[in-house]
Amino acid sequence: MVTIKSTREIETMASAGRVLAGALALVAENVKPGVSTEQLDDLAEEFILSHPGARPSFKGLYDFPKSLCTSINNEVVHGIPSSARVLVDGDILSVDCGVCLGGLHADSATTIPVGEVADATKQLLQVTRESLDAGIGAAVVGNHVGDIGHAVRQVAEAAGYSVVRDLVGHGIGTSFHEEPQVPNYGEPKRGPRLVAGMTIAIEPMVNAGAHEIKTLADKWTIVTSDGSLSAHFEHTVVIEDGGTRILTQSSQS
Ligand code: MG
Ligand code: MG
């Protein structure tokens, strides 16, 4: 069931989203060669918990053990922070995080270069960010969920990349994952209609190579099947009559 949020619920999600944006900014400031993904997780968790009423959504969600998902290079999503995973110059790190405040969740992800990365890698990050922007641009009242995925995929494939098909964006609210599913592919004017008050997480996962993915033996970490690099950018947005608003940023227009 797709739920429509009240103004109060939306403002609570925006508050959660501001904490989340702050946590991701703090992580980004501290990404550098020699830092472990567990150190970044500790920083984010401490930051989130320093805000009264806020808690990390991921910790305990489906028994996930940490507050961040940290996915390096060919890892697409759901990497588990570890003191044994130390960042190296030229890596890319996808950081996914959720914050729960007042019983409502916000969800956002970004991919951060570690030190100096190759031009081809910068291009992958840029295009994935642009594909998210295109998806958000298509997430307007009167469009359908298929318009979002279509817009994302057009941008990614025009640059020669592929979008992950087996993982999708989602509705979000009192539950972290709600209906509808928001794939990063689709047909215009297909799928559930977008109406004011819907809150969804749009999250392109873009592979430099083929779209196929597989899960590692830890049962969490998802990697590209061909070993190619993967980037992930995500925002939680609310569909509004006056335009779509991003809820996971530090200052909101
Ligand atoms: Mg996320
Ligand atoms: Mg999500």
Side-chain angles (χ1 to χ4, degrees):
M1 189 185 71
V2 172
T3 59
I4 302 304
K5 274 71 179 182
S6 68
T7 302
R8 184 196 62 78
E9 288 173 316
I10 290 164
E11 292 313 319
T12 301
M13 290 177 72
S15 297
R18 278 189 286 274
V19 175
L20 175 45
L24 289 178
L26 179 64
V27 168
E29 281 168 25
N30 285 277
V31 163
K32 52 183 174 241
V35 170
S36 76
T37 52
E38 184 165 79
Q39 286 174 283
L40 298 172
D41 186 74
D42 288 344
L43 282 173
E45 183 171 305
E46 185 182 354
F47 179 85
I48 293 166
L49 292 174
S50 75
H51 293 76
R55 67 172 177 85
S57 300
F58 288 2
K59 203 163 191 178
L61 182 68
Y62 314 120
D63 291 329
F64 190 78
K66 297 286 189 176
S67 296
L68 299 178
C69 291
T70 49
S71 308
I72 300 172
N73 295 336
N74 64 312
E75 297 171 354
V76 179
V77 287
H78 303 168
I80 304 171
S82 164
S83 58
R85 295 303 302 275
V86 175
L87 299 173
V88 173
D89 190 50
D91 282 346
I92 53 171
L93 174 70
S94 294
V95 181
D96 195 351
C97 187
V99 168
C100 185
L101 183 66
L104 288 148
H105 296 274
D107 185 12
S108 184
T110 186
T111 301
I112 304 159
V114 182
E116 193 55 40
V117 302
D119 286 346
T121 306
K122 289 179 188 161
Q123 164 91 351
L124 175 67
L125 303 193
Q126 177 66 24
V127 169
T128 307
R129 192 189 289 273
E130 287 169 3
S131 76
L132 172 59
D133 292 343
I136 293 170
V140 295
V141 171
N143 265 358
H144 294 247
V145 166
D147 289 286
I148 299 172
H150 181 74
V152 167
R153 185 177 179 181
Q154 292 280 108
V155 171
E157 293 190 351
Y161 305 134
S162 56
V163 296
V164 171
R165 320 250 172 105
D166 299 342
L167 299 164
V168 296
H170 49 93
I172 179 169
T174 53
S175 296
F176 195 79
H177 293 115
E178 297 185 351
E179 290 182 42
Q181 293 198 347
V182 184
N184 293 305
Y185 58 91
E187 297 298 324
K189 303 303 169 196
R190 297 290 178 87
R193 181 181 286 274
L194 301 175
V195 298
M198 281 176 72
T199 47
I200 55 174
I202 303 173
E203 50 177 314
M205 290 151 266
V206 174
N207 297 348
H211 74 83
E212 287 88 357
I213 56 174
K214 60 185 182 185
T215 306
L216 296 186
D218 67 12
K219 295 192 168 63
W220 278 110
T221 311
I222 292 175
V223 299
T224 55
S225 293
D226 62 8
S228 65
L229 292 178
S230 188
H232 183 206
F233 286 85
E234 176 179 31
H235 275 306
T236 297
V237 305
V238 57
I239 315 288
E240 292 183 324
D241 282 319
T244 298
R245 176 178 163 204
I246 297 173
L247 296 175
T248 41
Q249 54 192 16
S250 46
S251 61
Q252 283 146 24
S253 53

